[in-house]
Amino acid sequence: MTGESCVPSIETRDFESIFEEEEVVRDLDIDANPLRRVFVQSANTFSFGAIVPSAHPKGVEARLKITNSSKVRSTIEFSVSQDNDGEDAFTVTPSKQEFPPHEHRFVTVRFDPKKIRSYSSRFEAKIVESEIKNFEGGEMLSFDILGRGTMPCISIVQPLDRDEAGRVNLDFARLEMDKTKIRDVLVRNDGVVPCMMRTSIVDVSSTNSSPCTGLFSLVNLQSGSTVTVEPGTCKTLKVRFDSASPSIYSAELRLDVLQNRFDSETIILRGESYMDNLGFEDLPENEEGSELRFGSLHLKEQDSDKDDVEKSVSFVLVNRVEDLVRFEFPEHEHFVFSPRVGHMRALARLEINAIFRPGQEKILYSMESMPVKMKRIRVESENDDDEVVTWNDTMTRLVEAKESTKNEDESTKEEESEQKIEPVPEPKFEDVGEEENISFFVSGCADRVSYKCSCSSKISFKDTMMLQRRQHDFELKNTSDVDTTFDWSFSHENVPFKITPISGSLRGGETVKMTLHFCPIDAQKYECEATCEIASLPSSNSPLKIEISARSRRPVCHFDLESSDYASRREAGLPGPSGHPGPLDSNIRIIEMKSLGTHVRTFECNMEDVFFSLTRSLSLSLSLSLYPTTYIT
């Protein structure tokens, strides 16, 4: 006769089995990861994370695998405690269930928050009945449950101006007719869940403004489109104003947060369209206003005997009135306009050539005001047909000039005719109206290119195994006010060095981050020189050159793995090979595999060690440890 003594029990320690459908980690800061749905072993806590109640009207569920680990039939009772406020945000079904020996069942814990707050509870599973007589209870499974009800929300970072009603004001100011201006609206997600907002522009014209249908728009977005802003990030919306006939226009940009009817932002859009009697069209690199932009001009060497540099651009001057007008550009030390003074017929157009002459002087002009004088005039026609003749100070004419000469005997005098070119004098005119000053601005800079590099003139890399890589980061700054370009090259071809970016442009005062890579594919010593060609760099400045030396070594064995950026996007709270949370060692190489889902064979792995036979009677034992990069919830 044989017998066996059994004690009813359930699985209470194998959390990978209990939470087989959830993520399980050894340690994690739950507060720093509000969206993670995870069981943390060190805290003995399961967190549902933050959820939006309106997005889950029936709540969210988690299935737990409860296993009867004994040889006797048992009945297990399940319960969750109430929250401190008495709200039943957590429920469990079923509340009681019978378990045959060595079998498992799933129970469901539901989280259904009704308020925007944090919730906590305690889950318990204990044996209440068993086949064993006089059973007084056994092991109990218990852990804390956390959850948070939240709402998506946004805030306006830019612009900051608000009216008395608290609405944000986006003022496009005065804009000349048929011009375009774009302003930015910066929106930030201050919540812990992704925020989807619906954008719409509504015409709110009133007695103080005109209808503006189609004048305000979102760049690359249709009215009614949705935009997603991730938690803790900002999104820039570009609002465009296309000015029409002279008037004041206003509209509303409405940002309605989906799944949160209490959070919406209204931005008042306002713009004024005007039309001067003189207009400026085809201004280079400017569609917004009356600003002439010359850009950058590179000066010559200070001791250079070459002519001073200059830059010429052209634009069109438009007379928008039905009268003859006289215009006059101001005189300036560094800017020349041709023609500078002239008469224009009604509704006429005239091409103006503008020249920037800085000489040898470093100059920076930004929105330099140069108002153009304009007034209506009347000119008496010399012809009977009363035809209005235009004039400007670039016009010239041929005139005959008679000169007196003497014969050889100086007895008689003769007159000789000679044609000369002289400017056409301005016709006499009569003022019809008052003189006006038309707003006009000029911008431009002149400087000698200079740079600053944080990298030393010599770089020596540590010994590097072939097929591996090392890198050195540095910065290149344009210390001048003018724009320039850069282009790297190496003194030898087929060297395992690379600089990124290898070429590009640099605005005045701009800094670009660069990286020098060493990627050897063979074992040897390398030496070369990297030269950066900086456009328009004066010869008096030292060229940018870097002497590079490195040595690569041959490893005993190399595993050719596809590169993975998992280490850079890996959460710091996850455990590493040592079992402790924190970043991975830089020497760790990563094999990344993506799961195809649950109940699907993703990959097969032979659990036995794999041996490789190498030369010199060497053998290498390879063990594979898997750390999932994506967790299925």
Side-chain angles (χ1 to χ4, degrees):
M1 179 180 293
T2 60
E4 182 178 359
S5 175
C6 296
V7 177
S9 62
I10 58 176
E11 180 58 61
T12 61
R13 296 183 179 180
D14 188 358
F15 293 106
E16 297 285 352
S17 173
I18 298 171
F19 294 96
E20 68 174 17
E21 296 183 359
E22 305 293 339
E23 178 185 359
V24 179
V25 299
R26 292 187 180 93
D27 192 16
L28 181 70
D29 185 354
I30 297 178
D31 293 335
N33 298 269
L35 297 181
R36 288 281 289 276
R37 178 173 163 140
V38 61
F39 179 79
V40 183
Q41 298 185 45
S42 62
N44 194 32
T45 300
F46 175 75
S47 174
F48 279 94
I51 70 168
V52 179
S54 59
H56 305 277
K58 296 182 179 180
V60 293
E61 297 179 348
R63 295 209 314 161
L64 310 182
K65 180 180 177 181
I66 308 299
T67 303
N68 181 359
S69 57
S70 66
K71 296 182 178 181
V72 295
R73 184 180 299 272
S74 301
T75 300
I76 303 176
E77 184 179 73
F78 309 100
S79 64
V80 288
S81 61
Q82 288 187 346
D83 190 77
N84 295 333
D85 292 345
E87 184 178 345
D88 294 330
F90 299 99
T91 56
V92 58
T93 55
S95 60
K96 182 186 292 187
Q97 191 169 7
E98 185 177 280
F99 285 70
H102 294 298
E103 291 194 14
H104 68 269
R105 299 288 186 270
F106 284 94
V107 298
T108 301
V109 178
R110 183 189 302 274
F111 175 46
D112 188 12
K114 302 300 182 184
K115 298 179 181 179
I116 309 303
R117 54 182 288 266
S118 297
Y119 294 85
S120 62
S121 181
R122 182 120 185 131
F123 173 87
E124 292 183 352
K126 59 181 178 180
I127 302 174
V128 293
E129 296 180 9
S130 175
E131 295 178 339
I132 299 178
K133 296 182 178 180
N134 301 322
F135 174 71
E136 297 182 354
E139 290 182 305
M140 181 174 66
L141 170 65
S142 65
F143 54 84
D144 293 326
I145 309 177
L146 301 179
R148 179 177 175 181
T150 188
M151 286 285 194
C153 57
I154 60 171
S155 62
I156 305 298
V157 180
Q158 179 186 340
L160 299 176
D161 183 34
R162 292 181 180 265
D163 59 14
E164 296 179 355
R167 300 176 302 181
V168 178
N169 291 324
L170 182 61
D171 192 358
F172 286 85
R174 300 179 74 244
L175 184 62
E176 191 176 5
M177 187 180 69
D178 298 331
K179 298 286 186 177
T180 297
K181 179 178 286 188
I182 297 177
R183 296 284 304 275
D184 292 342
V185 174
L186 191 60
V187 182
R188 181 177 61 211
N189 183 352
D190 293 322
V192 296
V193 294
C195 176
M196 292 184 63
M197 59 183 182
R198 180 180 291 110
T199 62
S200 59
I201 294 180
V202 181
D203 183 4
V204 290
S205 57
S206 62
T207 57
N208 297 325
S209 61
S210 303
C212 62
T213 304
L215 298 185
F216 293 99
S217 61
L218 290 170
V219 179
N220 299 327
L221 281 177
Q222 297 290 334
S223 181
S225 301
T226 58
V227 178
T228 301
V229 187
E230 296 298 326
T233 64
C234 294
K235 191 78 172 183
T236 300
L237 303 178
K238 293 188 175 296
V239 186
R240 172 173 174 160
F241 174 47
D242 296 300
S243 63
S245 57
S247 183
I248 296 177
Y249 300 94
S250 62
E252 288 184 355
L253 171 59
R254 296 175 181 173
L255 306 178
D256 298 314
V257 178
L258 304 183
Q259 301 175 350
N260 185 358
R261 58 189 178 90
F262 302 103
D263 191 7
S264 63
E265 290 282 356
T266 299
I267 302 173
I268 304 300
L269 309 178
R270 182 185 180 278
E272 180 181 355
S273 178
Y274 73 93
M275 182 181 69
D276 282 330
N277 291 330
L278 281 182
F280 309 94
E281 296 183 359
D282 298 337
L283 293 170
E285 301 181 2
N286 185 9
E287 297 180 358
E288 294 186 359
S290 303
E291 180 192 2
L292 178 61
R293 300 172 180 172
F294 281 92
S296 299
L297 186 58
H298 299 141
L299 298 178
K300 300 292 184 181
E301 301 280 354
Q302 291 184 346
D303 55 352
S304 175
D305 56 355
K306 297 181 180 180
D307 295 337
D308 294 339
V309 294
E310 63 180 37
K311 188 172 185 179
S312 176
V313 297
S314 61
F315 60 95
V316 176
L317 183 66
V318 182
N319 178 11
R320 292 179 175 152
V321 298
E322 296 183 356
D323 296 304
L324 180 67
V325 299
R326 181 183 190 271
F327 69 88
E328 181 179 353
F329 284 89
E331 294 182 336
H332 194 277
E333 180 183 2
H334 298 113
F335 298 103
V336 178
F337 296 91
S338 179
R340 190 181 71 84
V341 183
H343 299 172
M344 296 180 66
R345 290 192 183 99
L347 306 178
R349 300 166 61 89
L350 178 65
E351 182 175 350
I352 305 294
N353 185 47
I355 303 175
F356 178 30
R357 292 174 177 167
Q360 291 292 330
E361 184 179 358
K362 175 183 176 181
I363 298 174
L364 175 62
Y365 288 105
S366 178
M367 293 291 289
E368 178 79 1
S369 179
M370 299 188 68
V372 180
K373 295 180 181 180
M374 170 263 182
K375 58 184 174 182
R376 292 175 171 87
I377 61 173
R378 182 184 298 116
V379 177
E380 295 182 0
S381 176
E382 298 179 356
N383 303 322
D384 296 335
D385 55 5
D386 293 333
E387 180 183 359
V388 177
V389 179
T390 59
W391 169 89
N392 62 67
D393 59 359
T394 63
M395 292 181 174
T396 58
R397 63 183 179 182
L398 287 175
V399 296
E400 290 187 0
K402 295 183 178 181
E403 296 183 359
S404 299
T405 60
K406 293 183 179 181
N407 295 329
E408 294 180 357
D409 57 359
E410 297 184 0
S411 59
T412 59
K413 295 183 179 179
E414 296 181 358
E415 293 184 354
E416 294 183 357
S417 298
E418 182 181 357
Q419 289 185 335
K420 293 184 178 180
I421 299 176
E422 67 177 21
V424 176
E426 182 176 6
K428 294 182 180 181
F429 61 87
E430 178 184 352
D431 294 344
V432 176
E434 295 182 356
E435 186 175 79
E436 302 177 28
N437 285 328
I438 308 301
S439 297
F440 187 65
F441 303 92
V442 177
S443 297
C445 62
D447 196 2
R448 294 173 180 83
V449 174
S450 59
Y451 72 89
K452 181 179 180 180
C453 184
S454 63
C455 183
S456 60
S457 59
K458 294 183 179 181
I459 294 180
S460 178
F461 283 96
K462 293 181 179 179
D463 287 359
T464 305
M465 294 296 180
M466 55 179 286
L467 303 177
Q468 302 298 314
R469 66 171 55 195
R470 292 188 187 275
Q471 66 181 44
H472 175 73
D473 299 327
F474 62 97
E475 292 182 347
L476 177 63
K477 181 179 181 180
N478 180 3
T479 56
S480 64
D481 292 329
V482 292
D483 301 343
T484 187
T485 60
F486 64 90
D487 188 8
W488 286 95
S489 62
F490 294 94
S491 58
H492 297 84
E493 296 183 356
N494 301 323
V495 290
F497 300 110
K498 181 176 68 173
I499 294 180
T500 55
I502 194 169
S503 62
S505 59
L506 276 173
R507 293 188 175 275
E510 183 182 3
T511 300
V512 61
K513 294 183 178 180
M514 297 185 171
T515 303
L516 172 61
H517 303 269
F518 175 45
C519 311
I521 59 175
D522 200 355
Q524 66 180 59
K525 188 176 181 180
Y526 300 93
E527 291 183 353
C528 77
E529 183 178 72
T531 303
C532 183
E533 182 179 350
I534 300 177
S536 302
L537 183 69
S539 58
S540 57
N541 291 24
S542 301
L544 178 54
K545 295 184 179 182
I546 303 176
E547 295 182 8
I548 309 171
S549 61
R551 185 176 66 173
S552 61
R553 306 183 68 177
R554 193 181 306 276
V556 175
C557 180
H558 171 74
F559 295 94
D560 190 10
L561 305 177
E562 291 186 6
S563 60
S564 170
D565 62 348
Y566 169 67
S568 62
R569 51 186 167 84
R570 177 180 181 272
E571 296 188 17
L574 293 178
S578 63
H580 301 290
L584 296 177
D585 188 275
S586 59
N587 293 321
I588 291 180
R589 297 294 176 261
I590 297 170
I591 303 176
E592 187 171 8
M593 291 171 283
K594 296 182 179 179
S595 174
L596 301 178
T598 58
H599 306 292
V600 177
R601 176 173 293 180
T602 302
F603 59 88
E604 292 184 356
C605 180
N606 189 350
M607 300 308 295
E608 296 180 359
D609 290 344
V610 181
F611 293 91
F612 293 87
S613 297
L614 304 177
T615 58
R616 301 179 185 176
S617 301
L618 292 177
S619 64
L620 176 65
S621 176
L622 173 67
S623 61
L624 181 64
S625 299
L626 300 179
Y627 296 89
T629 66
T630 303
Y631 297 91
I632 302 173
T633 58

